[in-house]
Amino acid sequence: MKSPLKSPRNNTAAKRGYMVQSVVRAVTILNAFQSTSEVLDLRVVASRAGLHKATTFRLLETLVETHLLERAGKHGYRCCVQPARAKRYRIGYGSQTSLLPFTATVSDGLVVAANAANIDLLVLNNGLSPRFALQNADTFVSEKVDLVIDSQINIGVAAQIAVKFSEARIPFIALDIPHPGATYFGADNYKAGRMAGRHLARWAAKAWKNGPEQIILLGVDAAGPLLNARLTGVLDGINEVSAFSHRIPTHHYDTKGGQFEATLDIVRRHIRRRKPERALIGAVNDSAALAALQAFREAGIERSCAIAGQDGSLAAREEMRRTSSRLICSVAYFPETYGERIIRLALDILKHRPVAPAVFVQHEVLTPQNVDKIYPNDAWMKSAPETIEPQRKLQ
């Protein structure tokens, strides 16, 4: 009598019976490394592999002894073999704009990190335009990318973009502005603004005997309350230190995306109309902050203002190094670190690893007193020769 045919399910079970679990776990450890340049510690490897730390440690040490891994530093490990990939991921990146230094730094970092991780990155420019952002979302869907990293500030189209990706079953990461259904990566906007407001108020209490006589807030209304939470934080931070903002007029302006030229024109008009004598200025980003500073300088009344920016850009850091500059501070987000972190987050999502719904970046108040300590290599960066930027696709 012929033996009964085995079902595919039985065949799978039979194959599993031949598997050596210790080998499977060792391969899982190796696959936790995304490239041969990545250095991971025990905690990260255990999290990515989904194994207990003690088991992970024994496997790591075994792989080191067999020369498949090597130790890097005191607590790190580096993979000596290129991890096998079932496929090369293709990720779409909708850049907010190429006009702002902050987003340009983020874009450059993403290109480098994607290349290191063997990812095909399709880059399109949202150009601060809701129409372009919607068109680019359609392009990402038609290109059937595996995941989208979207940086666009127009809250009015956030739900439409989210639906496009949801219907196409494409996971996405929203930079700076939360979108429905997206994993958020970026600033804690209110917290960052509050840090700036506290510093402004402390500075004003020391520098101006009679305190400020007005507050100017330079925001981005297209982003809704989310990005402008930085300005809410500025006011609350001022109130924590003093009662300035309860008794003096506050002027809010939309800077059309935080762009330099638009802000410069707005602050010039404000100076002509309001003739400020002691103005505290909270700006949504460094471009707006530097534009406000230029407007006061042009009018010959720079000492009538004290300005707090956001981003910690190179231009803001250079300005704070000027003697007696009235750019009092800028809250740094360290965009030069975004690329590697975002790509790592994207790979975790694509590999169905658990991720937090929101990943907030580090914030630190930069001042003329600490800027050289936090960014000691700025002078070297300015004198370093330019490198050839990797090719990328732009709209």
Side-chain angles (χ1 to χ4, degrees), residues 264-276 299:
L264 181 61
D265 185 55
I266 288 166
V267 179
R268 282 169 175 165
R269 292 200 302 267
H270 177 89
I271 290 172
R272 288 195 296 268
R273 290 195 307 263
R274 304 289 179 178
K275 299 183 177 13

Side-chain angles (χ1 to χ4, degrees), residues 200 203-204 208 279-282 302 304-308 326-328:
L200 272 180
W203 183 93
W208 291 333
L280 290 183
I281 303 175
E302 180 179 353
S304 297
C305 72
I307 304 172
R326 287 307 175 105
L327 181 62
I328 302 304

Side-chain angles (χ1 to χ4, degrees), residues 126 128-137 150-165 172 177-180 221-224 226:
N126 287 328
L128 299 174
S129 163
R131 180 170 62 87
F132 286 172
L134 287 168
Q135 290 175 352
N136 291 339
D150 208 13
S151 177
Q152 76 88 25
I153 64 170
N154 294 280
I155 194 65
V157 296
Q160 294 169 266
I161 289 172
V163 167
K164 291 177 185 292
F165 295 146
F172 73 111
I177 302 297
H179 283 46
D221 292 351
L226 301 169

